[in-house]
């Protein structure tokens, strides 16, 4: 998906793997904080339940 906004995430439980169109992947676990910048094309998957805090900023 293409992010039309900034999304900041902090994982509390579980893990997610973020991947981009080029095939690059990175896995984040509990305590990780990461930002998906506006315009990023990426996706994420998880095979376990995830609990996260997230915030979205839509630039004007």
């Amino acid at each position: 998906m293409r992010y039309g906004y900034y999304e900041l995430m902090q994982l509390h439980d579980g893990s997610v793997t973020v991947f981009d169109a080029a095939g690059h992947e990175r896995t984040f676990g509990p305590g990780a904080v990461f930002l998906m910048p506006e315009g990023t094309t990426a996706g994420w998957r998880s095979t376990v339940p995830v609990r996260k805090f997230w915030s979205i900023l839509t630039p004007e």
Side-chain angles (χ1 to χ4, degrees), residues 3 6-19 26-37 40 42-45 50-56:
Y3 285 79
Y6 293 86
E7 184 172 350
L8 178 70
M9 291 182 242
Q10 179 182 25
L11 293 180
H12 295 279
D13 293 307
S15 65
V16 298
T17 299
V18 178
F19 55 90
R26 182 155 178 205
T27 300
F28 299 92
V33 176
F34 56 99
L35 175 70
M36 300 300 280
T40 298
W44 62 283
R45 66 179 168 271
V50 172
R51 192 168 62 98
K52 68 179 183 173
F53 169 83
W54 55 273
S55 181
I56 290 177

Side-chain angles (χ1 to χ4, degrees), residues 1-5 20 35-42:
M1 76 180 264
R2 184 173 188 283
Y3 285 79
Y5 47 81
D20 65 16
L35 175 70
M36 300 300 280
E38 177 187 22
T40 298
T41 300

